[in-house]
Amino acid sequence: MNSYYVYILSNYTNSTLYIGVTNNLKKRLYEHKTKVYEGFSKKYNVDKLVYFEEVSDIKSAIQREKNLKKWKREWKDALIKKANPEFNDLSMDFE
């Protein structure tokens, strides 16, 4: 069974969020942290994993990502705080 991850990254001050989807969370976190690609996460220094969900179906993962991107910021913050009240960097568990 394949696993896909919908994840939320934040910057150091938790003022900016990035939502993405991947089938290899460890590799994708490495890419964000080392700024491999130009784009939003590099520009805004968004590389702290604050939330993730594992999904078994890519279509569901992509739909969840799209839905989360439409949410108000306060809803996203509440989702993160429910699982990670301190906005800790969860990527340490993947190193």
Side-chain angles (χ1 to χ4, degrees):
M1 179 172 86
N2 292 331
S3 291
Y4 302 92
Y5 299 89
V6 179
Y7 62 95
I8 302 177
L9 302 177
S10 185
N11 60 348
Y12 178 73
T13 61
N14 300 320
S15 60
T16 305
L17 297 178
Y18 172 90
I19 300 171
V21 65
T22 184
N23 67 340
N24 187 333
L25 189 56
K26 184 175 181 178
K27 177 183 174 196
R28 192 66 181 114
L29 290 170
Y30 174 81
E31 293 168 349
H32 282 294
K33 288 188 178 292
T34 59
K35 314 291 190 252
V36 172
Y37 300 111
E38 295 295 324
F40 184 90
S41 65
K42 182 176 181 178
K43 180 178 179 180
Y44 293 99
N45 199 32
V46 179
D47 64 3
K48 182 172 74 167
L49 179 67
V50 292
Y51 178 83
F52 69 95
E53 303 174 3
E54 187 173 358
V55 182
S56 60
D57 163 37
I58 186 61
K59 289 181 181 180
S60 298
I62 292 169
Q63 188 58 54
R64 177 68 167 157
E65 175 196 24
K66 288 179 181 181
N67 290 343
L68 288 174
K69 286 181 175 184
K70 293 177 185 176
W71 282 19
K72 294 179 182 182
R73 173 62 192 251
E74 64 192 65
W75 299 351
K76 295 172 194 175
D77 285 345
L79 178 68
I80 295 164
K81 287 178 183 176
K82 187 174 179 182
N84 183 6
E86 304 297 321
F87 275 67
N88 294 324
D89 188 353
L90 305 174
S91 67
M92 300 305 163
D93 297 338
F94 291 94
E95 295 179 356

